[in-house]
Amino acid sequence: MSNVVHDGIIDGKALAAQVQQRVAAAVAELKQKHGFVPGLAVVLVGDDPASAVYVRNKGRRTTEAGMKSFEYRLPADTTEKKLLERIAALNASDEVHGILVQLPLPKQIDPAKVIDAIAPDKDVDGFHVINAGRLAVGRPALVPCTPLGCVLLAKQARADLTGLEAVIIGRSNIVGKPLAQLLLNENCTVTVAHSRTRDLPEVARRADVLVAAVGRPELVRGDWVKPGAIVIDVGINRVEGKDGKARLVGDVAFAEARGRAAAITPVPGGVGPMTIAMLLANTVRAACMQRGVDLPEALAGL
Ligand code: NAD
């Protein structure tokens, strides 16, 4: 992949475009050699505007990569039973290799039950306990997309992370915890910090690789960053700017941190675009697992 780090900024949009191209090449190869096209089904319950935008983007990128996209929009008052029936049908479909249920779900639906119902081999979000367990013990797994993107971004700044101190702020099941496993696999020494961590700035300053996945605008200040560190900012926070207009900021005070970091991801344009790119890669991986064929060379290392 060509260089995406310029002036210490890791360009997630450019990296995502490269991943998307590799996915498209892999899809073309599968079609030509094995005669099938990977398919991704996205289910949206309710009409949350942010979720609707995510779902639309996922569908668009899926078809751009040459895959089949199936979109299901269910009303906000859909029962849990109805949603579980939809998932059972998708589990049984030969055309659908990946299933993603957009979170959050309306109150009447238990997200754990929904995630449990997705066939683990079609669980392209990697949220099923089977996939979390496979990742934890080092077996082939479908791994959550955002942490996969974080590792790929960090490796653009430094190809080999072996021996580095990694500090992840945030211990969620969808970002912090799986990222800890992935960075262990990269031979980092991993610390997972969270809301109860004592002296967080001091812990953060130990990091050669600092990841913020908290959801607090600009929590991480410039002096929390060890000079020369790689900083990956997962946070997406909507704040009101001085002009009264809404804007997006990360969990890291970008301008301050940039002066100390060797490389840093911006918000927007860092981790965000990588999440969808890795979802596409996961869908191809899932399709290959289900069809019992090798992952195309184009996706090696993803
Ligand atoms: P979450 O709310 O599930 O978890 C937040 C974590 O931060 C918790 O583990 C909590 O212990 C920790 N935390 C909260 N306050 C803290 C504090 N003051 N100090 C230290 N730790 C604290 O959130 P999540 O789902 O992991 O998402 C985190 C952020 O990443 C959010 O802004 C979310 O929007 C964003 N996100 C972005 C993407 C993407 O594609 N870029 C994907 C997922 C999440």
Side-chain angles (χ1 to χ4, degrees):
M1 287 196 287
S2 56
N3 185 23
V4 297
V5 187
H6 304 288
D7 293 332
I9 296 178
I10 314 172
D11 183 344
K13 228 170 138 181
L15 184 60
Q18 291 178 19
V19 171
Q20 168 116 11
Q21 271 180 11
R22 289 169 63 180
V23 170
V27 170
E29 183 184 321
L30 289 174
K31 192 171 176 186
Q32 198 224 335
K33 272 199 192 162
H34 302 286
F36 73 92
V37 176
L40 172 66
V42 178
V43 184
L44 173 64
V45 188
D47 36 33
D48 176 55
S51 294
V53 173
Y54 291 141
V55 167
R56 212 172 27 249
N57 286 341
K58 284 168 187 170
R60 187 161 48 86
R61 295 251 179 262
T62 305
T63 46
E64 278 170 6
M67 296 193 281
K68 287 185 197 158
S69 166
F70 305 92
E71 226 176 274
Y72 298 89
R73 287 164 183 266
L74 308 180
D77 61 357
T78 300
T79 61
E80 188 177 90
K81 185 164 171 280
K82 203 94 203 135
L83 178 58
L84 294 176
E85 281 167 10
R86 167 52 54 208
I87 292 169
L90 296 173
N91 282 342
S93 164
D94 285 343
E95 281 196 307
V96 171
H97 303 94
I99 303 170
L100 183 152
V101 178
Q102 186 67 42
L103 301 177
L105 288 164
K107 281 197 250 336
Q108 73 275 16
I109 301 176
D110 176 0
K113 265 198 197 155
V114 172
I115 294 166
D116 286 354
I118 297 172
D121 287 353
K122 295 192 177 186
D123 165 41
V124 282
D125 252 342
F127 295 164
H128 196 288
V129 286
I130 294 275
N131 280 314
R134 285 176 181 159
L135 174 63
V137 298
R139 297 216 197 134
L142 290 169
V143 177
C145 307
T146 301
L148 277 176
C150 291
V151 173
L152 213 57
L153 285 162
K155 288 172 86 169
Q156 303 309 302
R158 191 163 164 163
D160 186 0
L161 305 178
T162 296
L164 298 185
E165 290 277 349
V167 174
I168 302 160
I169 312 177
R171 56 176 159 183
S172 72
N173 288 337
I174 64 170
V175 188
K177 280 189 220 163
L179 182 57
Q181 306 283 355
L182 289 175
L183 288 172
L184 271 180
N185 292 349
E186 297 292 331
N187 303 310
C188 291
T189 303
V190 180
T191 302
V192 181
H194 46 77
S195 52
R196 306 292 181 88
T197 295
R198 260 185 297 158
D199 201 355
L200 187 58
E202 200 51 49
V203 174
R205 274 192 282 272
R206 295 208 298 257
D208 303 306
V209 179
L210 179 61
V211 184
V214 184
R216 298 278 147 99
E218 302 184 329
L219 173 80
V220 176
R221 309 311 309 187
D223 66 355
W224 296 26
V225 176
K226 178 177 173 178
I230 299 167
V231 179
I232 307 294
D233 190 352
V234 184
I236 302 176
N237 309 290
R238 228 167 273 277
V239 297
E240 199 174 298
K242 285 194 187 106
D243 55 2
K245 284 193 192 141
R247 62 186 183 106
L248 288 186
V249 297
D251 289 345
V252 179
F254 181 80
E256 292 175 16
R258 191 185 167 190
R260 294 185 40 131
I264 183 168
T265 59
V267 177
V271 175
M274 285 302 292
T275 298
I276 295 188
M278 300 320 290
L279 172 69
L280 303 181
N282 267 358
T283 304
V284 175
R285 182 181 301 278
C288 291
M289 278 161 53
Q290 286 157 53
R291 292 288 181 132
V293 304
D294 289 339
L295 195 68
E297 194 58 37
L299 290 191
L302 288 186

